[in-house]
Amino acid sequence: METRPYFVLGDCFSNALVGAFSGWAGIVWMPHALGFWLGMLVSMAGAMAVTMLLALTLLLRWFGAHEVMVPTMIGGMAANMTVCAIAHHHAMSALDGAWMGALIGIGVLFLTYIANARLTREA
Amino acid sequence: MDEATARKWDRAAASFDMTNGVGPEKRWGPVKRELFARMRGEILFLAVGTGLDIAFFPPGQRITGIDISGEMLKRAAPRAAGYPGEMTLQRQDVLALDFPDAHFDQVFTSCTFCSVPRPVDGLRQLLRVLKPGGELHMFEHTGSKVPVFRQVMDWMTPLSRNFGPEMNRDTVANVQAAGFIVEKVRNVYLDVVKVIHARKPATA
């Protein structure tokens, strides 16, 4: 389990950033005219393309590595889906979407740390 | 020589240290140092790349480092020259190794078999050049058996394979399929980054 502050903070930063962007995209890039499911897919595809580029370049360089970006991408997807779903039923600002996305990103990271502790103990 | 793969890594060479030289090396450095501490005898180090891993080698060993990419090897040369032991670099393809049978005591890999086009064939080459009872020690990232991680890695692979690794390989199964005896597998990160210790059967 990663305990070095540089990487723990880096993981938090990466997941919060990707989550926040994906949450923001869930509000701003959601084409409501396409309906909920298709609109969410379009919004998510855009968010994933941008965040994957970000993850595989800047975030990978500083907080490495490819495989560490897996929970980051999952956090981004979860953030986008959740924000899209909530925003479909309730008015939500882009800033609120970003905050919620960041929290979801951190939540996914927390679950990943639990999974990591379990999987590295099992082997 | 698989020239398409060589070209892919030639293209990656210029930016390789920039993307992999800080975070990934710092993050996995302690694990690699511990793994490479096992080095002894005649050693083959696979896919030496730009030589970032050389910093983690214990001093005083006899190591042959190979890579398919000439551009990678150019960048690795100064690092190999600075290694406090005997280190030579050669441009070779793991799928067609130009070494005699039963030549090495140990083979080490570091994030290699995520990228070799036909991994089981490559591992069979390693089996060939190892002495009977010879050791294979690997630091590799692999696919995951956890569905959510596996799915995301399956999605990332079509993109990542264009500039580097495949994210979803079952390297432990490949090592077994090639004829090695897998002695120990340790998960380093999730069930994705692994240290694998295997041995060529003494009678092979």
Side-chain angles (χ1 to χ4, degrees), chain A residues 2 4 7 11 52 56 60-68 70-71 73-74 77 112 115-116 119-120 123, chain B residues 18-19 22-24 26-28 30 141 148-149 152-153 155-156 159 163 167 185 187-193:
Chain A
E2 186 57 71
R4 290 169 290 179
F7 286 111
D11 289 347
M52 200 179 279
L56 295 179
L60 183 147
R61 169 178 166 73
W62 293 110
F63 309 118
H66 282 97
E67 45 282 356
V68 179
V70 171
M73 302 311 294
I74 294 172
M77 269 192 291
T112 305
N116 187 40
L119 288 164
T120 51
Chain B
M18 193 181 74
T19 52
V22 183
K26 262 195 200 166
R27 192 181 274 265
W28 307 132
H141 61 87
V148 65
F149 298 135
V152 172
M153 293 167 101
W155 287 336
M156 288 169 85
L159 177 71
F163 60 84
M167 308 285 291
V185 178
N187 287 341
V188 174
Y189 178 70
L190 299 171
D191 60 343
V192 173
V193 180

Side-chain angles (χ1 to χ4, degrees), chain B residues 136-149:
Chain B
L136 171 64
H137 300 287
M138 312 173 86
F139 176 85
E140 295 285 340
H141 61 87
T142 68
S144 174
K145 301 227 182 300
V146 180
V148 65
F149 298 135

Side-chain angles (χ1 to χ4, degrees), chain B residues 46 94-95 112-126 138 140 166 169-171 173-175 177-178 180:
Chain B
L46 220 63
V94 67
L95 294 170
T112 303
F113 277 90
C114 50
S115 306
V116 173
R118 298 191 311 279
V120 176
D121 289 346
L123 286 157
R124 285 194 180 118
Q125 282 287 308
L126 300 186
M138 312 173 86
E140 295 285 340
E166 301 207 354
R169 290 204 172 160
D170 190 347
T171 299
N174 289 342
V175 170
F180 282 96

